[in-house]
Each structure stands twice: as C-alpha cells, then as structure tokens.
Amino acid sequence: MIYRTPKYTKSFQCTADKCRDSCCIGWEITVDARTLAKYKRMRGALGEDIRKSLSPDGCFLLGENMRCPHLLKNGLCRIICEKGDAALCDICREHPRFYNYYGDLCEWGVGLACESAAQLILSAKAPLAFEEEEKEGEVEDCDEALLSLLFSEREKMLAFALDEKRGLSEKLFILESWAEDLQEFIDNADICKELFVFCAENQDIQSFFTEDRFAKYRKIILSLEPLSELWTARCENVSLPIHTDENGAIFSRLLAYFIFRYFLSSAMEGDCTAGMGLALFSAAWILAICESEGRTTLEGIAEAAKDFSKEAEYSEDNRDAVLEAFSAFNG
Ligand code: SF4
C-alpha cells in the first residue's frame, strides 16, 4: 500500500503544554475496543483512575472546564507522561492526522482543527510536494479507471488553486465549474473511452463573491450545530468580503488543504460537487471571517481557520451537513 502525504506533514509537532486551544479540552473521546481492553488490565493508580474516568460506553468523561480527566494542570497528558504514546487510544494517538483510502493508495495529512497543524498548512512553502512510502495495509477494491481520472483532475485542480498568478475569486469560480463539468462527465460519459477536457482559459469568469452566494453560505453556517455561542455571534457579523486578494497565497493553501482532503473521497462516491463545494465554502467563509475581524497575519488567519475547522469540519454532523448542501445528488 502506498501512503502519500504532503511533505510538510512530517514537520508536524504537537505543542502539548504550549498549545492555546488543546484538543484535550472540550472533546469527549471514545476509546477504541483494543485500548479499552488494555485499560481494563492496566495495573496501578493510573489504571484505576482511567477505569473510573470512563463512561459505560467507553468515553472519557470530561471534568471541570470540559478538560480530559487525564490532562494535567501543566497541560501535559498523564497517560503519556506515565506510560508513553503507546498507551494512548487510537483517537488521542492519531489526532490531528486524517487518512483517506482509495484502493492501494492511502492519502493522509494533518487537520486544520489543531493550531500547530493549521500554522504548518498555511505556511507550507511547497504545499504540493508529496512524500510516498510503501507499507503494509488493507487494500480495498476500487474503480481504477475512475480513480485515475479523478486523481489526475484533482492534481490539476490543486496546481490551479495554488497558481499565484490568479486571484482567489477567479480560482474559486473556475474550480466550481470544473467540478460541475467533471460531474456531468462521470454521470454521462464512458470514462474508459472518452477523454475529459476542462480548459480554465475558456471559462466565462464572473465574481465568486456575490451577495446571493454569501446569503446561501450564511444560511448554511448558521444552520450548523455550534460548539460555542461565540462562534454563532462571529458568523452573524460576517459580511461579503471585499479584499479577496489580500494574503492570496495563504488562502490558496487553505483551499488546497480542503481540496486535497475532501474532493477525491466524495468524487470516488460519484459526487464531485460535494467535496469541492465544501472546499470553496470553507476557504471563502474563513476569508470572510478574517476580513470582518481584521485578521491579516498568518497567525491570526490560522487561528480563524482552526476555529472554523473545529466547528464545521471536525464535527462529523456539521461536516456531513455541509457536504450535503453541495451534493450533486441534491439536484
Ligand atoms: S490541538 Fe494540536 S498542538 Fe494542541 S494539544 Fe492537540 S495535537 Fe497538540
């Protein structure tokens, strides 16, 4: 199995006690069955405390201020301090990594909901450089012809999203048309015999940032289940962004992250517009939040991106609702 990841992923480091928005606060973690069995056998005070901290269905019950019961006052994890990383459950060990599987290919990376990962993603000098590694893994059946077409289009889309010569509005507008055309092609053409051709230069470009689109985006974001009340208030204050080319390189990397993570997985299920819709919506909404809050530095933008990700991307229900809103299956 080939494991493929953006090169920058290898530089990821959890900042642990220096983290200002720890993933050990606010999220109820479900412990996987294998680790649960290990915790049931663990001896000593830690084993006892872990067992006491679990709900009947195997979740760590959050303590005061929504903290994980094993998060020490100094910001470090007691389980790691006493037993090392190997004693963590799958979710705690893997966060903020994500994995997407396509046949004998596994694409993985780090997710935006972590402040350290967000800074890495937005500052990557070569966001399109990948590293591949061959490792054992379970190969799933997949439509090879479809994968080859979608993979090659997705690579072109990524290069287009990161093209410094184009403005953000133009990129978003064209990528939307690209995904729609590709959808039409996979719905109607014989992909083994016919060639898909999309020419960005021939598109009749209009502004992506329109009042109508933003009214739709606002409706979507406000329909999601908020994790914090502050988030709703922040979204209510957002207006149509005007300076859409400021910090273009940073927002393009953000766009590339969402396309890399979501386009291929939804397209492999026959839905090219859902993953792309989520990517365009996410990049545009984060840009709008940054403009309305006057965030212009990489750190400020990364923080807004992280907040958005926690609310709309890392809540599975919310992410599914966003994908649904842009799904080709919705007519
Ligand atoms: S959010 Fe990221 S940097 Fe912060 S504690 Fe979690 S993994 Fe570490």
mmCIF file of all heavy atoms in Angstrom, residues 12-24 27 75 92 95-96 111 113-117 306 310, ligand 1:
data_model
loop_
_atom_site.group_PDB
_atom_site.id
_atom_site.type_symbol
_atom_site.label_atom_id
_atom_site.label_comp_id
_atom_site.label_asym_id
_atom_site.label_seq_id
_atom_site.Cartn_x
_atom_site.Cartn_y
_atom_site.Cartn_z
ATOM 1 N N PHE A 12 5.164 18.111 11.435
ATOM 2 C CA PHE A 12 4.156 18.393 12.469
ATOM 3 C C PHE A 12 4.643 17.996 13.861
ATOM 4 O O PHE A 12 5.189 16.925 14.065
ATOM 5 C CB PHE A 12 2.848 17.650 12.174
ATOM 6 C CG PHE A 12 1.891 17.750 13.338
ATOM 7 C CD1 PHE A 12 1.248 18.951 13.613
ATOM 8 C CD2 PHE A 12 1.677 16.676 14.192
ATOM 9 C CE1 PHE A 12 0.401 19.075 14.711
ATOM 10 C CE2 PHE A 12 0.829 16.789 15.281
ATOM 11 C CZ PHE A 12 0.186 17.990 15.534
ATOM 12 N N GLN A 13 4.414 18.875 14.809
ATOM 13 C CA GLN A 13 4.701 18.556 16.208
ATOM 14 C C GLN A 13 3.610 19.132 17.086
ATOM 15 O O GLN A 13 3.253 20.302 16.940
ATOM 16 C CB GLN A 13 6.028 19.179 16.609
ATOM 17 C CG GLN A 13 7.180 18.223 16.355
ATOM 18 C CD GLN A 13 8.361 18.554 17.241
ATOM 19 O OE1 GLN A 13 8.659 19.735 17.407
ATOM 20 N NE2 GLN A 13 9.007 17.539 17.789
ATOM 21 N N CYS A 14 3.090 18.285 17.943
ATOM 22 C CA CYS A 14 2.109 18.770 18.924
ATOM 23 C C CYS A 14 2.857 19.685 19.889
ATOM 24 O O CYS A 14 3.947 19.359 20.349
ATOM 25 C CB CYS A 14 1.519 17.571 19.662
ATOM 26 S SG CYS A 14 0.627 18.037 21.151
ATOM 27 N N THR A 15 2.259 20.836 20.198
ATOM 28 C CA THR A 15 2.951 21.767 21.096
ATOM 29 C C THR A 15 2.605 21.514 22.562
ATOM 30 O O THR A 15 3.050 22.251 23.446
ATOM 31 C CB THR A 15 2.625 23.230 20.719
ATOM 32 O OG1 THR A 15 1.204 23.350 20.632
ATOM 33 C CG2 THR A 15 3.232 23.621 19.392
ATOM 34 N N ALA A 16 1.775 20.486 22.796
ATOM 35 C CA ALA A 16 1.452 19.991 24.147
ATOM 36 C C ALA A 16 1.110 21.118 25.128
ATOM 37 O O ALA A 16 0.135 21.821 24.928
ATOM 38 C CB ALA A 16 2.594 19.113 24.647
ATOM 39 N N ASP A 17 1.960 21.306 26.153
ATOM 40 C CA ASP A 17 1.624 22.294 27.186
ATOM 41 C C ASP A 17 1.657 23.733 26.672
ATOM 42 O O ASP A 17 1.148 24.646 27.332
ATOM 43 C CB ASP A 17 2.564 22.133 28.392
ATOM 44 C CG ASP A 17 4.029 22.195 27.985
ATOM 45 O OD1 ASP A 17 4.358 21.744 26.871
ATOM 46 O OD2 ASP A 17 4.825 22.720 28.772
ATOM 47 N N LYS A 18 2.228 23.958 25.476
ATOM 48 C CA LYS A 18 2.263 25.341 24.918
ATOM 49 C C LYS A 18 1.006 25.607 24.076
ATOM 50 O O LYS A 18 0.792 26.726 23.623
ATOM 51 C CB LYS A 18 3.478 25.533 24.001
ATOM 52 C CG LYS A 18 4.807 25.073 24.556
ATOM 53 C CD LYS A 18 5.453 26.178 25.376
ATOM 54 C CE LYS A 18 6.778 25.782 25.994
ATOM 55 N NZ LYS A 18 6.897 24.448 26.548
ATOM 56 N N CYS A 19 0.197 24.599 23.858
ATOM 57 C CA CYS A 19 -0.968 24.756 22.986
ATOM 58 C C CYS A 19 -2.013 25.654 23.659
ATOM 59 O O CYS A 19 -2.350 25.460 24.821
ATOM 60 C CB CYS A 19 -1.574 23.374 22.695
ATOM 61 S SG CYS A 19 -2.995 23.474 21.603
ATOM 62 N N ARG A 20 -2.551 26.627 22.883
ATOM 63 C CA ARG A 20 -3.520 27.571 23.475
ATOM 64 C C ARG A 20 -4.953 27.094 23.346
ATOM 65 O O ARG A 20 -5.877 27.672 23.878
ATOM 66 C CB ARG A 20 -3.368 28.953 22.821
ATOM 67 C CG ARG A 20 -2.059 29.653 23.204
ATOM 68 C CD ARG A 20 -1.804 30.823 22.292
ATOM 69 N NE ARG A 20 -1.854 30.378 20.905
ATOM 70 C CZ ARG A 20 -2.150 31.167 19.888
ATOM 71 N NH1 ARG A 20 -2.466 32.419 20.079
ATOM 72 N NH2 ARG A 20 -2.165 30.686 18.648
ATOM 73 N N ASP A 21 -5.160 26.036 22.559
ATOM 74 C CA ASP A 21 -6.521 25.512 22.372
ATOM 75 C C ASP A 21 -6.425 23.994 22.256
ATOM 76 O O ASP A 21 -6.624 23.418 21.190
ATOM 77 C CB ASP A 21 -7.131 26.141 21.101
ATOM 78 C CG ASP A 21 -8.614 25.853 20.988
ATOM 79 O OD1 ASP A 21 -9.188 25.273 21.939
ATOM 80 O OD2 ASP A 21 -9.203 26.189 19.948
ATOM 81 N N SER A 22 -6.101 23.390 23.372
ATOM 82 C CA SER A 22 -5.769 21.959 23.377
ATOM 83 C C SER A 22 -6.943 21.082 22.949
ATOM 84 O O SER A 22 -8.090 21.319 23.330
ATOM 85 C CB SER A 22 -5.336 21.563 24.788
ATOM 86 O OG SER A 22 -5.253 20.169 24.877
ATOM 87 N N CYS A 23 -6.615 20.053 22.177
ATOM 88 C CA CYS A 23 -7.647 19.088 21.759
ATOM 89 C C CYS A 23 -8.053 18.202 22.943
ATOM 90 O O CYS A 23 -8.945 17.367 22.810
ATOM 91 C CB CYS A 23 -7.148 18.252 20.589
ATOM 92 S SG CYS A 23 -5.573 17.445 20.884
ATOM 93 N N CYS A 24 -7.371 18.367 24.098
ATOM 94 C CA CYS A 24 -7.738 17.593 25.297
ATOM 95 C C CYS A 24 -8.796 18.337 26.111
ATOM 96 O O CYS A 24 -9.110 17.953 27.232
ATOM 97 C CB CYS A 24 -6.515 17.345 26.161
ATOM 98 S SG CYS A 24 -5.148 16.647 25.242
ATOM 99 N N TRP A 27 -13.545 18.026 23.939
ATOM 100 C CA TRP A 27 -13.951 16.910 23.097
ATOM 101 C C TRP A 27 -14.019 15.630 23.914
ATOM 102 O O TRP A 27 -13.056 15.266 24.598
ATOM 103 C CB TRP A 27 -12.964 16.712 21.936
ATOM 104 C CG TRP A 27 -13.267 17.608 20.780
ATOM 105 C CD1 TRP A 27 -14.460 18.189 20.506
ATOM 106 C CD2 TRP A 27 -12.373 18.022 19.756
ATOM 107 N NE1 TRP A 27 -14.361 18.933 19.356
ATOM 108 C CE2 TRP A 27 -13.094 18.852 18.873
ATOM 109 C CE3 TRP A 27 -11.030 17.776 19.477
ATOM 110 C CZ2 TRP A 27 -12.534 19.436 17.748
ATOM 111 C CZ3 TRP A 27 -10.465 18.352 18.351
ATOM 112 C CH2 TRP A 27 -11.216 19.178 17.499
ATOM 113 N N GLY A 75 -0.678 21.062 31.532
ATOM 114 C CA GLY A 75 -1.008 20.969 30.104
ATOM 115 C C GLY A 75 -0.502 19.694 29.443
ATOM 116 O O GLY A 75 -0.651 19.520 28.236
ATOM 117 N N CYS A 92 -6.611 9.618 20.393
ATOM 118 C CA CYS A 92 -5.616 10.522 21.003
ATOM 119 C C CYS A 92 -4.263 10.390 20.318
ATOM 120 O O CYS A 92 -3.563 11.383 20.124
ATOM 121 C CB CYS A 92 -5.468 10.224 22.491
ATOM 122 S SG CYS A 92 -6.943 10.662 23.430
ATOM 123 N N HIS A 95 -4.764 11.956 16.460
ATOM 124 C CA HIS A 95 -5.141 13.347 16.260
ATOM 125 C C HIS A 95 -3.896 14.223 16.111
ATOM 126 O O HIS A 95 -2.970 14.063 16.896
ATOM 127 C CB HIS A 95 -5.993 13.855 17.428
ATOM 128 C CG HIS A 95 -6.509 15.234 17.205
ATOM 129 N ND1 HIS A 95 -7.595 15.489 16.411
ATOM 130 C CD2 HIS A 95 -6.055 16.442 17.622
ATOM 131 C CE1 HIS A 95 -7.795 16.796 16.361
ATOM 132 N NE2 HIS A 95 -6.883 17.391 17.089
ATOM 133 N N PRO A 96 -3.817 15.134 15.151
ATOM 134 C CA PRO A 96 -4.850 15.596 14.219
ATOM 135 C C PRO A 96 -4.708 14.955 12.820
ATOM 136 O O PRO A 96 -5.070 15.599 11.833
ATOM 137 C CB PRO A 96 -4.576 17.091 14.143
ATOM 138 C CG PRO A 96 -3.066 17.160 14.212
ATOM 139 C CD PRO A 96 -2.631 16.021 15.111
ATOM 140 N N GLY A 111 -4.833 17.779 10.222
ATOM 141 C CA GLY A 111 -6.050 18.572 10.049
ATOM 142 C C GLY A 111 -5.977 19.952 10.686
ATOM 143 O O GLY A 111 -5.247 20.194 11.657
ATOM 144 N N ALA A 113 -7.970 21.584 12.534
ATOM 145 C CA ALA A 113 -8.551 21.865 13.853
ATOM 146 C C ALA A 113 -7.491 21.990 14.945
ATOM 147 O O ALA A 113 -7.807 22.376 16.070
ATOM 148 C CB ALA A 113 -9.549 20.779 14.232
ATOM 149 N N CYS A 114 -6.259 21.653 14.615
ATOM 150 C CA CYS A 114 -5.155 21.769 15.575
ATOM 151 C C CYS A 114 -4.357 23.026 15.233
ATOM 152 O O CYS A 114 -3.995 23.241 14.069
ATOM 153 C CB CYS A 114 -4.283 20.516 15.457
ATOM 154 S SG CYS A 114 -2.591 20.729 15.993
ATOM 155 N N GLU A 115 -4.088 23.868 16.231
ATOM 156 C CA GLU A 115 -3.439 25.155 15.919
ATOM 157 C C GLU A 115 -2.034 24.972 15.346
ATOM 158 O O GLU A 115 -1.609 25.722 14.470
ATOM 159 C CB GLU A 115 -3.422 26.091 17.131
ATOM 160 C CG GLU A 115 -2.580 25.621 18.282
ATOM 161 C CD GLU A 115 -2.469 26.682 19.383
ATOM 162 O OE1 GLU A 115 -3.396 27.483 19.551
ATOM 163 O OE2 GLU A 115 -1.436 26.681 20.075
ATOM 164 N N SER A 116 -1.340 23.944 15.813
ATOM 165 C CA SER A 116 0.016 23.714 15.297
ATOM 166 C C SER A 116 -0.045 23.263 13.833
ATOM 167 O O SER A 116 0.724 23.731 12.983
ATOM 168 C CB SER A 116 0.692 22.657 16.180
ATOM 169 O OG SER A 116 1.899 22.268 15.642
ATOM 170 N N ALA A 117 -0.996 22.365 13.521
ATOM 171 C CA ALA A 117 -1.163 21.889 12.145
ATOM 172 C C ALA A 117 -1.635 23.035 11.240
ATOM 173 O O ALA A 117 -1.170 23.172 10.103
ATOM 174 C CB ALA A 117 -2.158 20.742 12.103
ATOM 175 N N LYS A 306 -8.575 27.470 12.266
ATOM 176 C CA LYS A 306 -8.696 26.419 13.295
ATOM 177 C C LYS A 306 -10.082 26.462 13.949
ATOM 178 O O LYS A 306 -10.739 25.428 14.137
ATOM 179 C CB LYS A 306 -7.566 26.613 14.327
ATOM 180 C CG LYS A 306 -7.505 25.629 15.455
ATOM 181 C CD LYS A 306 -8.170 26.168 16.710
ATOM 182 C CE LYS A 306 -7.507 27.417 17.262
ATOM 183 N NZ LYS A 306 -8.290 28.075 18.318
ATOM 184 N N LYS A 310 -12.853 23.468 13.769
ATOM 185 C CA LYS A 310 -13.438 22.794 14.938
ATOM 186 C C LYS A 310 -14.958 22.778 14.852
ATOM 187 O O LYS A 310 -15.613 21.814 15.218
ATOM 188 C CB LYS A 310 -12.995 23.501 16.233
ATOM 189 C CG LYS A 310 -11.538 23.220 16.562
ATOM 190 C CD LYS A 310 -11.103 23.922 17.826
ATOM 191 C CE LYS A 310 -11.555 23.164 19.064
ATOM 192 N NZ LYS A 310 -10.946 23.679 20.293
HETATM 193 S S1 SF4 B 1 -4.548 20.783 19.350
HETATM 194 FE FE1 SF4 B 1 -2.669 20.074 18.294
HETATM 195 S S2 SF4 B 1 -0.958 21.148 19.305
HETATM 196 FE FE2 SF4 B 1 -2.770 21.323 20.639
HETATM 197 S S3 SF4 B 1 -2.613 19.595 22.099
HETATM 198 FE FE3 SF4 B 1 -3.874 18.895 20.362
HETATM 199 S S4 SF4 B 1 -2.456 17.931 18.888
HETATM 200 FE FE4 SF4 B 1 -1.240 19.163 20.340
#
